[in-house]
Amino acid sequence: MIPFQIIFTPAAAADLSRMPRDLQLQILGEFRGLPRQVIGTELDAFGKLERGGRTLHRYRLGDYRVYFERHDLGLLVHRILNRHTLKDFLFRSGLKVPEDEALQENPKFWEMIEAARQSARS
């Protein structure tokens, strides 16, 4: 079996560390089945956001959304966000489109993802 790693960017690790310990354990426990899903599919079961040749996927874990992309070693988790945060954003912005489509077109979302990527390089 090929080793599979779940790598958290500093931003994703910070998102997780701000949660209560029991919620952290619950979320990490949900990652158990994820490697089989990511290796065994073309990720059609996950939300998909594309921009500039880059593809992120969204994985729902209860009230949280995990934004990740495939990586040579497994997958790279960029952010773990409470779904209400995104719903509030969509409500306030008055957008009447699906969540993934709204995020895909929003430059602020990609700036947030890129900021996490830049801090990982530092």
Side-chain angles (χ1 to χ4, degrees), residues 15 19 27 31 47 57-68 77-87 99-100 103 109:
D15 292 339
M19 297 174 191
I27 287 175
F31 278 104
H57 295 279
R58 179 181 41 78
Y59 179 55
R60 291 182 184 194
L61 293 171
D63 283 342
Y64 290 86
R65 304 297 182 256
V66 177
Y67 294 91
F68 70 93
V77 177
H78 289 282
R79 298 302 302 251
I80 303 171
L81 301 173
N82 186 296
R83 73 178 179 102
H84 296 296
T85 303
L86 296 175
K87 292 233 182 248
E99 183 177 319
D100 291 342
L103 289 175
F109 175 79

Short mmCIF file of all heavy atoms in Angstrom, two decimals, residues 15 19 27 31 47 57-68 77-87 99-100 103 109:
data_model
loop_
_atom_site.label_atom_id
_atom_site.label_comp_id
_atom_site.label_asym_id
_atom_site.label_seq_id
_atom_site.Cartn_x
_atom_site.Cartn_y
_atom_site.Cartn_z
N ASP A 15 -6.83 26.80 12.22
CA ASP A 15 -8.29 26.65 12.24
C ASP A 15 -8.68 25.53 13.20
O ASP A 15 -9.57 25.68 14.03
CB ASP A 15 -8.84 26.31 10.85
CG ASP A 15 -8.72 27.42 9.84
OD1 ASP A 15 -8.59 28.59 10.24
OD2 ASP A 15 -8.77 27.11 8.62
N MET A 19 -10.51 25.19 17.75
CA MET A 19 -11.73 24.46 18.08
C MET A 19 -11.56 23.76 19.43
O MET A 19 -10.45 23.44 19.83
CB MET A 19 -12.01 23.41 17.01
CG MET A 19 -12.26 23.99 15.65
SD MET A 19 -12.40 22.66 14.44
CE MET A 19 -12.36 23.62 12.94
N ILE A 27 -13.40 15.81 14.24
CA ILE A 27 -13.02 16.16 12.86
C ILE A 27 -11.88 15.28 12.38
O ILE A 27 -11.92 14.73 11.27
CB ILE A 27 -12.69 17.66 12.74
CG1 ILE A 27 -13.98 18.47 12.84
CG2 ILE A 27 -11.94 17.97 11.45
CD1 ILE A 27 -13.80 19.95 12.86
N PHE A 31 -11.46 12.00 9.17
CA PHE A 31 -10.47 11.87 8.11
C PHE A 31 -10.09 10.41 7.85
O PHE A 31 -9.42 10.11 6.87
CB PHE A 31 -9.20 12.66 8.44
CG PHE A 31 -9.30 14.12 8.13
CD1 PHE A 31 -9.47 15.05 9.14
CD2 PHE A 31 -9.21 14.58 6.83
CE1 PHE A 31 -9.55 16.40 8.86
CE2 PHE A 31 -9.29 15.92 6.53
CZ PHE A 31 -9.47 16.83 7.56
N GLY A 47 -17.16 18.77 -3.39
CA GLY A 47 -17.33 20.06 -4.04
C GLY A 47 -16.05 20.41 -4.77
O GLY A 47 -14.97 19.96 -4.40
N HIS A 57 -10.87 21.14 -3.58
CA HIS A 57 -12.07 20.35 -3.33
C HIS A 57 -12.57 20.68 -1.93
O HIS A 57 -11.81 21.06 -1.05
CB HIS A 57 -11.77 18.86 -3.46
CG HIS A 57 -11.38 18.49 -4.84
ND1 HIS A 57 -12.31 18.28 -5.84
CD2 HIS A 57 -10.18 18.33 -5.42
CE1 HIS A 57 -11.68 17.99 -6.95
NE2 HIS A 57 -10.39 18.02 -6.73
N ARG A 58 -13.88 20.50 -1.75
CA ARG A 58 -14.52 20.77 -0.47
C ARG A 58 -15.09 19.47 0.06
O ARG A 58 -15.81 18.75 -0.62
CB ARG A 58 -15.64 21.80 -0.63
CG ARG A 58 -16.34 22.11 0.68
CD ARG A 58 -17.46 23.12 0.50
NE ARG A 58 -18.27 22.93 -0.68
CZ ARG A 58 -19.24 22.02 -0.81
NH1 ARG A 58 -19.53 21.20 0.16
NH2 ARG A 58 -19.94 21.95 -1.94
N TYR A 59 -14.75 19.19 1.31
CA TYR A 59 -15.21 18.00 2.01
C TYR A 59 -16.03 18.45 3.20
O TYR A 59 -15.57 19.26 4.00
CB TYR A 59 -13.99 17.19 2.45
CG TYR A 59 -14.28 15.92 3.21
CD1 TYR A 59 -15.11 14.94 2.69
CD2 TYR A 59 -13.66 15.68 4.43
CE1 TYR A 59 -15.34 13.76 3.38
CE2 TYR A 59 -13.88 14.51 5.12
CZ TYR A 59 -14.71 13.55 4.59
OH TYR A 59 -14.93 12.39 5.28
N ARG A 60 -17.26 17.98 3.32
CA ARG A 60 -18.13 18.38 4.42
C ARG A 60 -17.95 17.44 5.60
O ARG A 60 -18.00 16.23 5.47
CB ARG A 60 -19.59 18.34 3.99
CG ARG A 60 -19.92 19.40 2.99
CD ARG A 60 -21.37 19.36 2.63
NE ARG A 60 -21.61 20.34 1.58
CZ ARG A 60 -22.79 20.75 1.22
NH1 ARG A 60 -23.87 20.27 1.81
NH2 ARG A 60 -22.94 21.63 0.28
N LEU A 61 -17.72 18.05 6.75
CA LEU A 61 -17.62 17.31 8.01
C LEU A 61 -18.58 17.96 9.00
O LEU A 61 -18.20 18.89 9.71
CB LEU A 61 -16.19 17.38 8.57
CG LEU A 61 -15.10 16.67 7.79
CD1 LEU A 61 -13.73 17.01 8.34
CD2 LEU A 61 -15.32 15.17 7.85
N GLY A 62 -19.80 17.54 8.99
CA GLY A 62 -20.79 18.14 9.89
C GLY A 62 -20.97 19.61 9.56
O GLY A 62 -21.31 19.98 8.45
N ASP A 63 -20.72 20.47 10.54
CA ASP A 63 -20.87 21.92 10.36
C ASP A 63 -19.62 22.57 9.78
O ASP A 63 -19.54 23.79 9.70
CB ASP A 63 -21.19 22.59 11.71
CG ASP A 63 -22.64 22.38 12.11
OD1 ASP A 63 -23.45 22.02 11.24
OD2 ASP A 63 -22.94 22.59 13.30
N TYR A 64 -18.65 21.77 9.37
CA TYR A 64 -17.39 22.33 8.87
C TYR A 64 -17.15 21.92 7.43
O TYR A 64 -17.63 20.89 6.96
CB TYR A 64 -16.23 21.89 9.77
CG TYR A 64 -16.31 22.57 11.10
CD1 TYR A 64 -17.09 22.05 12.12
CD2 TYR A 64 -15.69 23.79 11.31
CE1 TYR A 64 -17.22 22.71 13.33
CE2 TYR A 64 -15.81 24.45 12.51
CZ TYR A 64 -16.58 23.91 13.52
OH TYR A 64 -16.72 24.57 14.69
N ARG A 65 -16.40 22.76 6.75
CA ARG A 65 -16.01 22.51 5.37
C ARG A 65 -14.49 22.49 5.33
O ARG A 65 -13.84 23.42 5.81
CB ARG A 65 -16.53 23.60 4.42
CG ARG A 65 -18.03 23.79 4.47
CD ARG A 65 -18.77 22.54 4.01
NE ARG A 65 -20.21 22.72 4.02
CZ ARG A 65 -21.01 22.23 4.96
NH1 ARG A 65 -20.53 21.54 5.97
NH2 ARG A 65 -22.31 22.42 4.90
N VAL A 66 -13.95 21.43 4.75
CA VAL A 66 -12.50 21.27 4.63
C VAL A 66 -12.15 21.52 3.17
O VAL A 66 -12.67 20.85 2.27
CB VAL A 66 -12.05 19.86 5.05
CG1 VAL A 66 -10.56 19.68 4.86
CG2 VAL A 66 -12.47 19.58 6.49
N TYR A 67 -11.29 22.49 2.92
CA TYR A 67 -10.85 22.83 1.56
C TYR A 67 -9.46 22.25 1.35
O TYR A 67 -8.53 22.56 2.09
CB TYR A 67 -10.86 24.35 1.36
CG TYR A 67 -12.27 24.87 1.41
CD1 TYR A 67 -12.83 25.30 2.60
CD2 TYR A 67 -13.06 24.89 0.26
CE1 TYR A 67 -14.15 25.74 2.65
CE2 TYR A 67 -14.37 25.32 0.30
CZ TYR A 67 -14.90 25.74 1.50
OH TYR A 67 -16.20 26.16 1.55
N PHE A 68 -9.33 21.38 0.34
CA PHE A 68 -8.07 20.67 0.13
C PHE A 68 -7.79 20.50 -1.35
O PHE A 68 -8.65 20.70 -2.20
CB PHE A 68 -8.10 19.31 0.82
CG PHE A 68 -9.04 18.32 0.18
CD1 PHE A 68 -8.58 17.43 -0.79
CD2 PHE A 68 -10.38 18.26 0.53
CE1 PHE A 68 -9.43 16.52 -1.39
CE2 PHE A 68 -11.25 17.35 -0.06
CZ PHE A 68 -10.76 16.47 -1.03
N VAL A 77 -4.49 20.06 3.12
CA VAL A 77 -5.66 20.75 3.66
C VAL A 77 -5.30 22.22 3.81
O VAL A 77 -4.36 22.57 4.51
CB VAL A 77 -6.08 20.16 5.02
CG1 VAL A 77 -7.25 20.94 5.60
CG2 VAL A 77 -6.44 18.68 4.87
N HIS A 78 -6.07 23.09 3.14
CA HIS A 78 -5.81 24.53 3.18
C HIS A 78 -6.55 25.22 4.31
O HIS A 78 -6.00 26.07 5.00
CB HIS A 78 -6.19 25.19 1.86
CG HIS A 78 -5.26 24.84 0.76
ND1 HIS A 78 -4.02 25.42 0.62
CD2 HIS A 78 -5.36 23.94 -0.25
CE1 HIS A 78 -3.41 24.91 -0.43
NE2 HIS A 78 -4.20 24.01 -0.97
N ARG A 79 -7.82 24.90 4.49
CA ARG A 79 -8.63 25.57 5.51
C ARG A 79 -9.69 24.61 6.03
O ARG A 79 -10.16 23.73 5.30
CB ARG A 79 -9.34 26.82 4.97
CG ARG A 79 -8.47 27.93 4.47
CD ARG A 79 -7.49 28.49 5.48
NE ARG A 79 -8.07 29.01 6.69
CZ ARG A 79 -8.14 30.29 7.02
NH1 ARG A 79 -7.65 31.20 6.21
NH2 ARG A 79 -8.67 30.65 8.16
N ILE A 80 -10.10 24.83 7.29
CA ILE A 80 -11.24 24.14 7.90
C ILE A 80 -12.13 25.24 8.44
O ILE A 80 -11.77 25.91 9.41
CB ILE A 80 -10.80 23.19 9.03
CG1 ILE A 80 -9.78 22.18 8.51
CG2 ILE A 80 -12.02 22.48 9.64
CD1 ILE A 80 -9.13 21.35 9.60
N LEU A 81 -13.26 25.47 7.78
CA LEU A 81 -14.12 26.60 8.13
C LEU A 81 -15.51 26.14 8.54
O LEU A 81 -16.05 25.20 7.96
CB LEU A 81 -14.24 27.54 6.92
CG LEU A 81 -12.94 28.11 6.38
CD1 LEU A 81 -13.21 28.86 5.09
CD2 LEU A 81 -12.29 29.02 7.41
N ASN A 82 -16.08 26.83 9.49
CA ASN A 82 -17.44 26.55 9.91
C ASN A 82 -18.38 26.92 8.77
O ASN A 82 -18.26 27.99 8.17
CB ASN A 82 -17.77 27.37 11.16
CG ASN A 82 -19.12 27.02 11.73
OD1 ASN A 82 -20.14 27.23 11.08
ND2 ASN A 82 -19.13 26.48 12.92
N ARG A 83 -19.32 26.04 8.48
CA ARG A 83 -20.21 26.28 7.34
C ARG A 83 -21.05 27.54 7.53
O ARG A 83 -21.42 28.19 6.57
CB ARG A 83 -21.12 25.09 7.09
CG ARG A 83 -22.21 24.92 8.10
CD ARG A 83 -23.09 23.73 7.72
NE ARG A 83 -24.12 23.55 8.71
CZ ARG A 83 -25.38 23.95 8.54
NH1 ARG A 83 -25.73 24.53 7.42
NH2 ARG A 83 -26.26 23.75 9.48
N HIS A 84 -21.33 27.89 8.76
CA HIS A 84 -22.13 29.09 9.00
C HIS A 84 -21.37 30.35 8.59
O HIS A 84 -21.97 31.33 8.18
CB HIS A 84 -22.56 29.16 10.46
CG HIS A 84 -23.46 28.03 10.85
ND1 HIS A 84 -24.71 27.85 10.30
CD2 HIS A 84 -23.26 26.99 11.69
CE1 HIS A 84 -25.25 26.76 10.81
NE2 HIS A 84 -24.40 26.22 11.66
N THR A 85 -20.08 30.31 8.67
CA THR A 85 -19.27 31.44 8.23
C THR A 85 -19.50 31.68 6.73
O THR A 85 -19.72 32.80 6.31
CB THR A 85 -17.78 31.18 8.49
OG1 THR A 85 -17.62 30.91 9.88
CG2 THR A 85 -16.92 32.35 8.11
N LEU A 86 -19.46 30.63 5.95
CA LEU A 86 -19.66 30.74 4.51
C LEU A 86 -21.11 31.10 4.19
O LEU A 86 -21.38 31.93 3.33
CB LEU A 86 -19.28 29.45 3.81
CG LEU A 86 -17.81 29.06 3.91
CD1 LEU A 86 -17.59 27.70 3.28
CD2 LEU A 86 -16.92 30.10 3.29
N LYS A 87 -22.03 30.50 4.90
CA LYS A 87 -23.45 30.81 4.66
C LYS A 87 -23.72 32.27 4.99
O LYS A 87 -24.44 32.95 4.26
CB LYS A 87 -24.33 29.90 5.50
CG LYS A 87 -24.29 28.47 5.06
CD LYS A 87 -25.66 27.96 4.82
CE LYS A 87 -25.61 26.50 4.42
NZ LYS A 87 -25.98 26.29 3.07
N GLU A 99 -22.90 27.36 -3.36
CA GLU A 99 -21.75 27.74 -2.52
C GLU A 99 -20.42 27.63 -3.26
O GLU A 99 -19.62 28.55 -3.23
CB GLU A 99 -21.75 26.83 -1.29
CG GLU A 99 -20.68 27.13 -0.28
CD GLU A 99 -20.80 26.23 0.93
OE1 GLU A 99 -21.93 25.98 1.39
OE2 GLU A 99 -19.76 25.77 1.39
N ASP A 100 -20.17 26.49 -3.91
CA ASP A 100 -18.89 26.30 -4.59
C ASP A 100 -18.69 27.32 -5.70
O ASP A 100 -17.60 27.87 -5.86
CB ASP A 100 -18.78 24.89 -5.17
CG ASP A 100 -18.66 23.83 -4.10
OD1 ASP A 100 -18.32 24.18 -2.96
OD2 ASP A 100 -18.92 22.66 -4.41
N LEU A 103 -17.86 30.76 -4.21
CA LEU A 103 -16.49 30.82 -3.70
C LEU A 103 -15.48 30.82 -4.84
O LEU A 103 -14.48 31.54 -4.80
CB LEU A 103 -16.22 29.64 -2.76
CG LEU A 103 -16.92 29.71 -1.43
CD1 LEU A 103 -16.69 28.43 -0.65
CD2 LEU A 103 -16.48 30.92 -0.63
N PHE A 109 -11.75 34.62 -1.42
CA PHE A 109 -11.56 33.23 -1.04
C PHE A 109 -10.17 32.75 -1.47
O PHE A 109 -9.43 32.16 -0.71
CB PHE A 109 -12.64 32.33 -1.65
CG PHE A 109 -12.41 30.87 -1.40
CD1 PHE A 109 -12.73 30.32 -0.17
CD2 PHE A 109 -11.86 30.06 -2.37
CE1 PHE A 109 -12.51 28.97 0.07
CE2 PHE A 109 -11.63 28.72 -2.14
CZ PHE A 109 -11.96 28.17 -0.91
#
